[in-house]
């Protein structure tokens, strides 16, 4: 679907709540800037139908950005016709605060329409941020080849899955998604961290890591200043390497062996 002279048109949607979207936006644009044939349009929400109509690539880093019915159809159509969607972190989230006095603070309503079936999942909840182990499920797959198990301090997503999905990396979790109505589990089973899902002629690659938060990103929760900056997995070399490979796939459409500079073991 590339344009004249091999130009690749990309759309980056980066916005929402409770995260440092300024930081994530700059980092993702820096990844895209490595490719001289890519031209990127940037949006804070899914009001980008005209851009998507001409796009080859969609990259989303959002939290609680819920597209309306028309925008949902536009996103589904984008993948169906052959688009490549790199969905990051909270893209699959729809979150509402509960009334005062409720046993949980947040519910995760099913307001994403047909998108979870295309994305492969919908967020239900996460336990408090803490270190957890990421295991490589398919060590020969180009997106993770040469990368061993690693630790991340991030939001561990418990999601409602919409198979079939091809899981490339996972973690495990049993316990409570504190504050959420859903996402509690007593079953010790793999929780996808990185996976792909085909839909129509296109493909979604979903990577759940990538939490980041600045000092002033939760003022709507009554905390004026966190007093710290949280970069989560963004400072983990394995995360950055996998993210770079995911962006390379989104641009090229090819899941190939790592670049020579990255061919060694990353641990």
């Amino acid at each position: 679907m590339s344009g004249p002279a091999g130009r690749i048109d990309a759309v980056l949607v980066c916005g929402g709540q409770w995260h440092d979207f300024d930081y994530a936006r700059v980092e993702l644009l820096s990844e895209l800037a490595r490719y001289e044939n890519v031209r990127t349009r940037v949006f804070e929400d899914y009001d980008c139908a005209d851009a998507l109509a001409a796009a080859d690539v969609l990259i989303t880093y959002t939290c609680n950005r819920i597209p309306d019915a028309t925008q949902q159809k536009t996103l589904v159509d984008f993948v169906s016709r052959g688009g490549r969607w790199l969905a990051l972190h909270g893209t699959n989230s729809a979150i509402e605060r509960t009334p005062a006095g409720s046993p949980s603070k947040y519910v995760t309503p099913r307001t994403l329409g047909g998108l979870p079936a295309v994305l492969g999942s919908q967020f239900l909840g996460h336990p408090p941020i803490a270190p957890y182990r990421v295991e490589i499920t398919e060590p020969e797959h180009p997106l993770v080849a040469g990368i061993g198990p690693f630790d991340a301090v991030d939001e561990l997503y418990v999601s409602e899955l919409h198979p079939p999905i091809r899981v490339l990396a996972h973690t495990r979790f049993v316990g409570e998604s504190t504050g959420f109505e859903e996402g509690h589990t007593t079953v010790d089973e793999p929780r996808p961290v990185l996976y792909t899902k085909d839909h129509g002629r296109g493909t979604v690659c979903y990577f759940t890591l990538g939490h980041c938060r600045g000092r002033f990103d939760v003022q709507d929760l009554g905390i004026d200043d966190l007093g710290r900056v949280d970069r989560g997995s963004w400072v983990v070399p394995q995360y950055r390497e996998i993210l770079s490979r995911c962006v390379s796939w989104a641009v090229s459409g090819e899941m190939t062996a790592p670049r020579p500079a990255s061919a060694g073991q990353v641990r």
Side-chain angles (χ1 to χ4, degrees):
M1 293 195 300
S2 60
R7 167 174 162 164
I8 299 294
D9 287 293
V11 170
L12 171 63
V13 180
C14 187
Q17 293 178 278
W18 311 314
H19 292 77
D20 189 346
F21 296 101
D22 290 341
Y23 175 82
R25 187 180 301 112
V26 168
E27 295 300 308
L28 292 169
L29 286 172
S30 295
E31 285 287 341
L32 287 165
R34 294 174 48 240
Y35 302 93
E36 61 185 16
N37 60 329
V38 173
R39 290 296 174 266
T40 305
R41 295 184 63 183
V42 182
F43 300 83
E44 288 187 291
D45 56 34
Y46 292 102
D47 186 14
C48 55
D50 290 345
L52 272 181
D56 307 286
V57 176
L58 170 63
I59 299 178
T60 55
Y61 182 99
T62 64
C63 179
N64 208 26
R65 276 287 191 256
I66 303 170
D68 63 27
T70 299
Q71 293 164 352
Q72 290 171 10
K73 183 178 185 306
T74 298
L75 291 164
V76 172
D77 290 347
F78 167 79
V79 181
S80 297
R81 67 171 170 81
R84 300 182 292 276
W85 185 355
L86 175 56
L88 301 171
H89 201 45
T91 294
N92 65 349
S93 64
I95 304 169
E96 293 181 0
R97 295 293 299 272
T98 56
S102 298
S104 57
K105 293 182 180 180
Y106 306 101
V107 293
T108 48
R110 306 308 193 266
T111 52
L112 293 173
L115 285 183
V118 176
L119 285 170
S121 64
Q122 178 163 352
F123 171 79
L124 297 179
H126 66 74
I129 295 174
Y132 60 89
R133 191 73 162 171
V134 177
E135 302 281 351
I136 305 303
T137 313
E138 285 202 29
E140 302 304 317
H141 192 281
L143 291 184
V144 292
I147 297 177
F150 63 95
D151 294 320
V153 180
D154 211 306
E155 294 173 335
L156 190 161
Y157 278 12
V158 179
S159 296
E160 176 184 88
L161 301 182
H162 291 255
I165 61 175
R166 182 178 182 181
V167 180
L168 307 179
H170 69 275
T171 190
R172 305 186 84 94
F173 170 71
V174 174
E176 300 289 318
S177 289
T178 308
F180 291 92
E181 184 177 70
E182 299 182 80
H184 316 298
T185 177
T186 59
V187 180
D188 184 7
E189 61 186 12
R191 308 285 168 184
V193 170
L194 175 71
Y195 65 82
T196 62
K197 180 176 176 66
D198 295 330
H199 179 82
R201 296 168 55 196
T203 301
V204 171
C205 178
Y206 204 114
F207 197 12
T208 67
L209 296 181
H211 178 72
C212 61
R213 184 174 290 159
R215 289 172 50 190
F216 309 113
D217 291 325
V218 289
Q219 291 185 335
D220 62 325
L221 302 181
I223 304 174
D224 288 339
D225 185 350
L226 279 171
R228 67 182 188 278
V229 171
D230 180 5
R231 292 293 176 246
S233 296
W234 293 88
V235 299
V236 177
Q238 293 90 338
Y239 168 77
R240 297 304 295 249
E241 174 63 22
I242 294 171
L243 178 64
S244 291
R245 296 185 195 182
C246 290
V247 172
S248 177
W249 161 77
V251 170
S252 69
E254 298 178 359
M255 293 187 182
T256 57
R259 301 181 305 277
S262 305
Q265 292 284 325
V266 180
R267 297 188 184 276

